[in-house]
Amino acid sequence: MEHVELITESDFIGWRAWARSLLHQYIASESIYWDDIPTGSEKAPALTRKLPESPSPLRLPRPVQDLIPAVIASGHPERFSLLYRLLEHIRGGCPSFTDTTLWKDLVALAHETRRAAIALRQILPPSCSDNIKICRIHVSPSLLDSQAPALISLRAAPWLIHTEGRLLLYENGQLFFSTAAIEAECLADDAQLLTHARSTAQPVYKSAYWKAIFPLTITPTPSFIEKAPSLETLRAYSVDCALCPLCRPALRTVFGEGNPDAKILFVGEQPGDQEDRRGRPFVGPAGQLFDRALQEAGGERSRYWISNAVKHFNFIQRGDRRIHQKPESQHIQACSPWITAERRLLHHHVTVMLGVTGASALLGRPVKVTRERSRLFTLPDGTTGLVTVHPSSLLRQPDEQKRQGDYIKFVNDLRLALSAL
């Protein structure tokens, strides 16, 4: 028997290296014992290890590449062995391996794992408060490991998640983890669990253990987005959005937030620097001005839904600064499934379009704000529409007297939107 020791339940890197080597040697799956370190084991993962170096003995079809991370994240006790058996089928040149029971079982397992990942993402609320969110859940440690990047992207505010055999703490922009079993007395209340986490968890970036993990992403397609059953699910999908190139330089997808029963939907252009960092729309200087104007108009932000036509920050880097760039038509078009889905899932009566980009995205045509603002009209979806300026335009106005006049007009536009209810 070949005894292969993996350093974690999520050791994708170790499994891949050994699988390549064993396939090269034509070692049969029945002769391999895959030993991933059990949860809570006293056996610490090796800080350094020598993995076999073998070229990949076969070219994997894309569906197989997408399947492997999901199966490993599933926590199934035979996942490493089952995946190796699949590679044997492919190496044997079987053209119909997708018709085998093994393939169908693995596809079903991957499907259930992705559903569990979406459910896991939904336990973390948006970063509307800087208070730490503490969650106790029952999922496989390997699933929690695979979703750590997504959870960080979903909630920039601090959080702590504990499941049997794994503890993840995200605080001060850094992820900490522990694999040791937690004593019962440390679980008595949230304060004790947090104290225990802060005293025992180690930083992920220092850990060889964590470098072996491959994150499970669930890249949404427009048809996938269109079928989302709720705003919470839509937000969970948005983490892995790759519909346009803006997803690569931006820190995260900034999804809409607010009251899911909102009667008014506000749609702006795109996140700015602060929004991208904090994971919330309209929290930078323009957002603060918007909140103040909304209050003066008689409204309260928490009662409404706030979103953007584009969900990623478009910028150019100049030294330490990220300079806002107007999104291009390709970005607006690529992002349209998101705002369309938000509008479908909300039951709002009024849609307020803030600025040219928000208005053009929703109306599907060029818009001149100065010509179309400050009047109510009916949109194709039956809601009442109103076009007004984006609050950032007020901040860019150099003339103080004109800025004050424009601000009063903006407040009046918001007051008109509220009156339409």
Side-chain angles (χ1 to χ4, degrees):
M1 279 297 274
E2 291 283 345
H3 182 229
V4 178
E5 188 175 85
L6 303 176
I7 64 172
T8 163
E9 300 102 321
S10 312
D11 189 1
F12 169 84
I13 299 300
W15 173 83
R16 182 179 62 181
W18 279 107
R20 286 176 174 176
S21 174
L22 295 169
L23 283 170
H24 261 295
Q25 301 173 61
Y26 283 83
I27 305 297
S29 57
E30 296 81 4
S31 302
I32 306 171
Y33 174 63
W34 298 94
D35 182 16
D36 56 306
I37 293 178
T39 295
S41 171
E42 294 298 321
K43 184 177 181 182
L47 293 180
T48 58
R49 59 171 173 168
K50 185 169 179 60
L51 292 172
E53 296 182 8
S54 302
S56 179
L58 67 165
R59 185 181 297 274
L60 296 180
R62 185 64 194 214
V64 177
Q65 296 179 44
D66 293 339
L67 180 84
I68 291 173
V71 172
I72 290 178
S74 72
H76 189 286
E78 300 297 324
R79 59 198 178 283
F80 296 112
S81 178
L82 292 172
L83 286 172
Y84 186 82
R85 282 175 53 198
L86 176 64
L87 297 186
E88 284 185 304
H89 278 292
I90 298 172
R91 185 193 59 187
C94 175
S96 57
F97 72 89
T98 56
D99 294 330
T100 64
T101 301
L102 173 62
W103 172 258
K104 293 174 182 176
D105 288 346
L106 289 176
V107 167
L109 180 60
H111 178 69
E112 287 303 311
T113 303
R114 292 188 183 99
R115 288 183 61 181
I118 291 297
L120 171 59
R121 293 177 182 187
Q122 293 183 59
I123 71 168
L124 278 185
S127 305
C128 298
S129 165
D130 290 333
N131 295 332
I132 189 165
K133 176 63 178 177
I134 298 178
C135 304
R136 293 175 173 83
I137 57 175
H138 296 285
V139 297
S140 71
S142 52
L143 178 64
L144 185 55
D145 290 346
S146 77
Q147 292 306 291
L151 297 172
I152 292 172
S153 181
L154 269 172
R155 182 177 168 86
W159 49 265
L160 169 64
I161 298 179
H162 172 247
T163 192
E164 185 179 359
R166 191 73 79 253
L167 183 151
L168 294 185
L169 171 64
Y170 182 70
E171 199 169 36
N172 300 321
Q174 190 170 322
L175 184 65
F176 303 85
F177 83 111
S178 173
T179 62
I182 298 178
E183 297 82 2
E185 57 268 23
C186 296
L187 296 173
D189 59 43
D190 287 352
Q192 287 176 298
L193 180 60
L194 180 58
T195 299
H196 175 81
R198 286 171 172 164
S199 63
T200 60
Q202 61 175 303
V204 160
Y205 74 89
K206 291 184 178 180
S207 172
Y209 177 105
W210 205 263
K211 293 174 183 175
I213 295 168
F214 191 84
L216 171 60
T217 58
I218 306 170
T219 306
T221 62
S223 61
F224 204 63
I225 297 166
E226 183 182 351
K227 297 172 184 174
S230 68
L231 288 166
E232 293 80 9
T233 305
L234 197 65
R235 174 174 168 262
Y237 290 166
S238 73
V239 176
D240 297 322
C241 177
L243 296 179
C244 79
L246 295 185
C247 67
R248 290 191 284 274
L251 296 176
R252 54 175 47 84
T253 307
V254 181
F255 193 66
E257 72 168 34
N259 180 3
D261 298 318
K263 301 306 179 187
I264 300 182
L265 163 65
F266 291 93
V267 181
E269 181 189 82
Q270 67 167 346
D273 178 73
Q274 288 301 310
E275 287 80 4
D276 186 43
R277 296 182 189 280
R278 297 172 59 184
R280 300 182 58 200
F282 282 81
V283 292
Q288 293 167 26
L289 187 148
F290 169 76
D291 288 351
R292 177 160 62 90
L294 188 59
Q295 276 194 324
E296 289 188 30
E300 185 180 335
R301 177 181 174 128
S302 62
R303 296 174 57 189
Y304 313 116
W305 190 262
I306 318 292
S307 193
N308 282 301
V310 175
K311 306 301 187 191
H312 288 107
F313 180 32
N314 186 24
F315 65 93
I316 56 172
Q317 193 80 39
R318 288 183 184 166
D320 295 334
R321 298 180 62 205
R322 302 192 299 171
I323 309 301
H324 168 282
Q325 297 292 292
K326 188 177 179 64
E328 300 174 12
S329 58
Q330 61 167 320
H331 306 140
I332 298 170
Q333 183 62 35
C335 242
S336 64
W338 293 112
I339 193 64
T340 299
E342 283 177 277
R343 295 175 70 193
R344 171 178 60 83
L345 292 166
L346 289 165
H347 301 289
H348 59 295
H349 296 169
V350 179
T351 304
V352 180
M353 292 153 273
L354 303 166
V356 172
T357 301
S360 300
L362 267 63
L363 298 177
R365 58 175 174 79
V367 172
K368 190 172 181 62
V369 173
T370 54
R371 182 185 302 155
E372 302 192 38
R373 70 178 295 184
S374 308
R375 64 182 178 86
L376 300 173
F377 57 95
T378 303
L379 292 167
D381 65 358
T383 64
T384 297
L386 183 140
V387 174
T388 187
V389 296
H390 194 284
S392 62
S393 67
L394 305 179
L395 297 175
R396 294 193 299 269
Q397 173 57 256
D399 184 270
E400 175 64 26
Q401 186 174 358
K402 191 171 187 317
R403 182 164 64 248
Q404 288 299 323
D406 289 345
Y407 175 77
I408 292 171
K409 192 173 182 181
F410 180 56
V411 172
N412 288 335
D413 282 348
L414 298 181
R415 189 173 289 121
L416 177 60
L418 298 179
S419 73
L421 294 179

